[in-house]
Amino acid sequence: MFRKRRDADRQRVRIVFDGRTIEAEAGATVAAALLCNGVVAFRDPVVSGTSRGPHCMIGACFECLVEIDGTPGQQACLVPVREGMSIGRQAPLPAVAP
Amino acid sequence: MTAFRHDVAVVGAGPAGMAAATAAAELGLDTVLFDEQPAPGGQIYRNVEANRDAGSGLAGLLGDDYGRGRRLAEAFRAGSATYAPGTSVWEIEPDGTVGTLHDGRAALVRARRIVIAAGAMERPVPIAGWTLPGVMTAGAAQTLLKSADAIPDGPVVLAGSGPLHYLVAWQLVSAGAEVCAILDTTPRANTRAALAQLPGALGQLAQIRKGRRWIAGIRAAGVRFVRHVSALAAVGTERLAAVDYEADGRKERIETPLLLLHQGVVPNNQLADSIDCARRWDDVQACWHTQADAWGATSVDTVAVAGDCAGIGGALAAEHRGRLAGIDAAARLGKIDAGTRDRLSREPLAALRRLAGLRRFLDTLYAPAATFLSPRDEVVVCRCEGVTAGDLREVAAHGCMGPNQAKAFTRAGMGPCQGRMCGLTVANVIAGARGRPVADIGAFRVRPPLKPLTVGQLADLEGVGRDIASLDAMPTRPGDGAGDGAGETA
Amino acid sequence: MTIGDVLIIGGGLHGCSAALHLARRGLKPVILERDWPGRHASGVNAGGVRTLLRDPAEIPLALAARRMWHAIGELVDDDCGYKTVGQVAIAENDAEYDRLKARAGTVRQLGFDHEELIDRAALRSMVPSLARHCVGGLAVREDGFASPYHTSLAFRRKALALGARLFEGAEAERIDRVGENWRIEAGARTFEAPVLVNAAGAWAGEWAARLGDTVSFRHILPMMMVSERVPPLVEPVVIASGRPLSLKQMPNGTVIMGGGYLGFGDLRTGRNRTDFNGLQKSAATVAELFPALRGARIVRSWAGFEGRMADDIPVIGPSAAAPDAFHAFGFSGHGFQLAPIVGRILADLIATGETDLPIRPFSANRFAA
Ligand SMILES: Cc1cc2nc3c(=O)[nH]c(=O)nc-3n(C[C@H](O)[C@H](O)[C@H](O)COP(=O)(O)OP(=O)(O)OC[C@H]3O[C@@H](n4cnc5c(N)ncnc54)[C@H](O)[C@@H]3O)c2cc1C
């Protein structure tokens, strides 16, 4: 959906989304990293309808919720990527185990 | 009771927050600044430090104004204010308590004064299909440009109105994105109304020229620019496939995987609303403004607002408003006397007066069309809970008087975004259905936590100190007639 | 001037229920409501429909109300979101279990058999997600919950359909006895009727005092919080017996938590706030009792104005000091469940001068001695 204008000299990290390993620039948010890797739909909504993806990118809309390292409900547009981070699509009813 | 940890707590590291914190610290106050982002800058100057030496012309794209942000960030960093990045504020209280969440840990800290500088957010643009993945805001694309040097990878359509709409369009065109069309929804009548405001804006001609330059740049690049677009719909099943629009009576469809919407920005006034700061409805900006004096002091003694979160004034104004709030904090907390406050305030106050005329002109010119304020029945208003405009009109017809009743009845505003995305629309739709001004209809009562906290995070909350009242622990006094506050638990 | 048969101060559930039952008897009630029905306790409470652990004096009323809840559609043409899912008070240790056991004995001796003592295994099968340390509980399987705002609107709608009149945004300010009538001024409007009902919730203590009744009353602000939607985790309403907690999961998946800790409010403006110092305690209790909920995100908290009596049971019945005036207030945090029956009791008293339910313990002059 988005692409880097050019490959910056910034450091790169590897993260996993739904089992697939992707590369991201250190310092990018999870949402930016996913969008730059062709991921548009981040989660299945609670209410009926189609999947949802990032909309506002500033933490207001809560549409970009994903599961990060087992914790659901994280705002992908606010959380920076970390090496080895494991990200999952969020189910309509996120599991609540700690 | 939680002890005071700071003199001033500033929320938000945009121009207003940075200026407020810098001024307060400079005048001798123990100041802390909380911000959700990893680095200072806020939305407008997002990532300003890292992009300092960004090559590839990014700095040029982001413009001189962005350079201004760099200087603000430098001054803020050089000062003595404590900076707490990556920290969400989910609660504030009139006694100066601030609830923070950092790295999964929640805490209550206390300051003598709170300056809310939470900025603005783009006005949600409810159109058919706007919940589809691939429908984003113009600001979202700009955020990606600033924070990741990323542009749309394929065709993109921008639809909307307002300075940011043209700026982002111009930036994307200049950055080499494949912009298929700019759909301009500015209503015809706005231009006429704005002309009346033009004389007041002439002092800021350079700013107006900048806008003309963006539009000229877009056109020069040969990008289709459609004026007087009166209806918009996003089309697709699993994700966006196309945008339908109507202009001058003609209906057309453009296929695109990405649509960027924009109808101006509105104050992020959740924090101020959550403690019942007095507010008023601004008809021209079609949003609520937190009532404040020239220094940003609100109806709640200990709390000030600065920048766009109190009413849209733009980045330059935000900086001055932040500075004023910082100066006022120093006066209120005894670091400077009233005379010094007034002397220090002269320059920012004068600057604000100069900017006011331009603001009125822009507000009038880019006032959103009615269809984006109160959409047709089938359009989803509350994205979280899937509540449509029709659902709201139906409960209004059944006697629902305002947003809070509508919330209880339809669940609009009860999802994770806590009404940020639907609050204004819900009020507009109900006002329309009841034939009353929005000012009379009111707004959602904002219920903390303003950012969700897990049960575990709240259970482990740090800084809990106040004696608490519980049903069991509470003594009941015989003969205690209520109504005189005798039964108050606070 | 608006004239009716009965003036009701307060359009919460108790005011609307009284209006509904009065209208069924052919009387013309007029409800004065300072905000709107459901704005305060009735619309924002936890929705617990509980006969469990009631004060013995309340048991006959609560059981009568329960019969009405089970057929609530017949009363108000709406299901009110009511579900019979059971309620269970849990014991976290043997001492608590012994207290519940003693309680069960007392209730049986009074001739009631609705509360059932359950052991560890039965508790586990009723609430599998509950922490392992819990040793047993006291349950009422015929209890449940309803949706408070939905219920408030249903009572309001039915009362109006039967001919009651409602004035919203009408705050009763002045009251006078004019001949055989009560006269109330609310803003620019004047109302008159021969009979008065005080159902002003957290504001009712003031009206009782104005009528000359001396009651031990104060207003309180119980707090609640709610999570985002989570998968099905708990079916019955769970209350702790040794510390403040009530918890339930709504059909939409959200979990409502509260029970005991209080927020702040100003009666004059009607505004209120929660106190996270107290909510932290609630959250800690939830996290201990339902470890699986540690990760559930709380999206909202709120408090509601409620009236509380020194002895934690309401005032229901005639004023001890003023003629033709009746009270229904001071429900002390558990008046939602009682609303269907208390309205009927008031209508009986007003229309016939008597009622078939034992209301003496709720007299307005019990604090005078
Ligand atoms: C957070 C919370 C949780 C609760 N949980 C439960 C539960 O699970 N189960 C249960 O059984 N009970 C529960 N309760 C208690 C229950 O909600 C109340 O006992 C019940 O709703 C009281 O109803 P009411 O009509 O007397 O009061 P209210 O609903 O408060 O109505 C009183 C009305 O009087 C109006 N009024 C006041 N003064 C004036 C005036 N001068 N003129 C005109 N109008 C006036 C007010 O605006 C108000 O609408 C809870 C209460 C709270 C606050």
Side-chain angles (χ1 to χ4, degrees), chain C residues 9-15 32-36 40-42 44-48 54 170-172 199-201 203 207 222-224 304-306 328 331 333-337:
Chain C
I9 305 178
L13 260 180
H14 284 281
L32 307 186
E33 168 52 52
R34 76 194 287 268
D35 295 308
W36 66 79
H40 297 293
S42 298
V44 305
N45 65 67
R54 286 271 172 185
E171 178 168 10
W203 292 262
W207 291 99
M223 299 191 290
M224 313 287 310
F305 282 97
E306 167 73 329
F331 291 93
H334 41 262
F336 179 69
Q337 193 267 356

Side-chain angles (χ1 to χ4, degrees), chain B residues 2 90-91 93-94 108 275-276 385 398-399 401 404-405 407-409 411 413-416 418 445 447-449 451-461 463-472 474-483 486-490, chain C residues 35-36 39 149-150 153 156-157 168 202 205-206 214-221 225 229 244 252 254 257 260-267 271-281 283-284 286-287 293-303 308-310:
Chain B
T2 312
W90 48 268
E91 156 88 336
E93 291 170 23
L108 297 179
I275 50 166
D276 293 321
E385 295 288 335
H398 281 99
M401 302 205 301
N404 292 299
Q405 281 168 291
K407 178 170 162 180
F409 220 72
R411 288 193 58 80
M414 285 206 182
Q418 292 156 307
R445 256 188 304 284
R447 297 303 195 197
K451 288 274 174 163
L453 281 185
T454 66
V455 168
Q457 286 164 348
L458 183 53
D460 300 338
L461 179 66
V464 180
R466 196 192 285 131
D467 288 343
I468 50 168
S470 81
L471 276 178
D472 299 330
M474 195 192 59
T476 8
R477 279 176 286 149
D480 204 342
E488 289 291 332
T489 49
Chain C
D35 295 308
W36 66 79
R39 164 71 179 89
Y149 191 70
H150 194 144
L153 276 173
R156 163 202 154 136
R157 208 177 304 131
E168 292 178 304
E206 183 187 347
T214 306
V215 294
S216 183
F217 173 96
R218 64 182 292 175
H219 72 273
I220 56 171
L221 285 119
M225 53 190 173
R229 304 181 196 226
N252 64 19
T254 59
M257 298 158 268
Y261 295 103
L262 303 177
F264 313 120
D266 178 352
L267 277 181
R271 287 179 177 169
N272 62 62
R273 279 189 306 116
T274 49
D275 177 3
F276 277 89
N277 291 280
L279 291 174
Q280 180 270 331
K281 295 240 183 263
V286 172
L293 277 174
R294 271 193 81 86
R297 295 182 321 147
I298 296 158
V299 293
R300 226 168 24 257
S301 69
W302 68 91
R308 186 191 190 192
M309 310 309 301

Side-chain angles (χ1 to χ4, degrees), chain C:
Chain C
M1 173 145 64
T2 306
I3 297 175
D5 294 329
V6 182
L7 285 183
I8 301 174
I9 305 178
L13 260 180
H14 284 281
C16 285
S17 176
L20 185 160
H21 288 284
L22 285 163
R24 271 163 67 120
R25 286 182 165 273
L27 291 167
K28 296 252 164 287
V30 176
I31 309 169
L32 307 186
E33 168 52 52
R34 76 194 287 268
D35 295 308
W36 66 79
R39 164 71 179 89
H40 297 293
S42 298
V44 305
N45 65 67
V49 175
R50 170 174 67 83
T51 60
L52 175 67
L53 287 179
R54 286 271 172 185
D55 184 287
E58 285 183 344
I59 292 175
L61 274 63
L63 290 175
R66 184 172 82 181
R67 282 191 291 277
M68 298 170 89
W69 277 108
H70 286 174
I72 198 70
E74 288 170 22
L75 186 64
V76 294
D77 304 331
D78 191 303
D79 70 6
C80 296
Y82 174 74
K83 299 256 181 311
T84 302
V85 293
Q87 293 224 6
V88 58
I90 53 167
E92 295 186 64
N93 51 46
D94 291 341
E96 285 177 20
Y97 190 69
D98 289 344
R99 274 202 295 279
L100 291 178
K101 198 167 164 183
R103 153 80 189 187
T106 312
V107 169
R108 247 192 331 273
Q109 260 170 19
L110 291 169
F112 302 108
D113 59 1
H114 59 295
E115 292 182 359
E116 170 195 353
L117 194 67
I118 59 172
D119 63 11
R120 187 186 280 266
L123 178 62
R124 178 135 322 149
S125 75
M126 203 173 171
V127 195
S129 53
L130 191 62
R132 294 292 181 238
H133 71 270
C134 298
V135 298
L138 193 61
V140 175
R141 295 184 194 269
E142 297 292 295
D143 278 350
F145 64 74
S147 164
Y149 191 70
H150 194 144
T151 304
S152 298
L153 276 173
F155 272 76
R156 163 202 154 136
R157 208 177 304 131
K158 185 65 181 183
L160 298 192
L162 292 171
R165 273 175 301 166
L166 165 70
F167 293 83
E168 292 178 304
E171 178 168 10
E173 284 153 355
R174 239 189 102 93
I175 185 160
D176 293 297
R177 189 78 177 155
V178 178
E180 296 286 278
N181 274 353
W182 290 106
R183 173 186 290 174
I184 289 186
E185 279 159 37
R189 286 199 215 102
T190 306
F191 301 85
E192 250 186 64
V195 179
L196 178 76
V197 169
N198 171 21
W203 292 262
E206 183 187 347
W207 291 99
R210 288 204 204 179
L211 293 172
D213 289 313
T214 306
V215 294
S216 183
F217 173 96
R218 64 182 292 175
H219 72 273
I220 56 171
L221 285 119
M223 299 191 290
M224 313 287 310
M225 53 190 173
V226 61
S227 77
E228 66 187 329
R229 304 181 196 226
V230 297
L233 197 84
V234 44
E235 197 188 344
V237 179
V238 175
I239 59 185
S241 67
R243 44 181 170 169
L245 178 76
S246 112
L247 180 146
K248 68 178 68 68
Q249 185 168 26
M250 304 305 280
N252 64 19
T254 59
V255 178
I256 297 187
M257 298 158 268
Y261 295 103
L262 303 177
F264 313 120
D266 178 352
L267 277 181
R268 201 178 42 81
T269 60
R271 287 179 177 169
N272 62 62
R273 279 189 306 116
T274 49
D275 177 3
F276 277 89
N277 291 280
L279 291 174
Q280 180 270 331
K281 295 240 183 263
S282 293
T285 308
V286 172
E288 274 171 47
L289 288 176
F290 292 91
L293 277 174
R294 271 193 81 86
R297 295 182 321 147
I298 296 158
V299 293
R300 226 168 24 257
S301 69
W302 68 91
F305 282 97
E306 167 73 329
R308 186 191 190 192
M309 310 309 301
D311 53 6
D312 275 331
I313 57 172
V315 174
I316 303 169
S319 162
D324 302 321
F326 296 82
H327 295 298
F329 69 88
F331 291 93
S332 306
H334 41 262
F336 179 69
Q337 193 267 356
L338 293 173
I341 191 66
V342 172
R344 209 206 77 200
I345 292 171
L346 288 185
D348 290 348
L349 290 172
I350 290 167
T352 70
E354 54 187 23
T355 174
D356 55 353
L357 282 149
I359 60 164
R360 180 154 335 129
F362 310 116
S363 74
N365 63 359
R366 67 183 190 264
F367 303 97

Side-chain angles (χ1 to χ4, degrees), chain B residues 215-235:
Chain B
I215 295 177
I218 296 163
R219 292 202 145 144
V223 174
R224 209 160 131 211
F225 193 100
V226 186
R227 278 183 184 280
H228 308 306
V229 170
S230 54
L232 278 175
V235 189

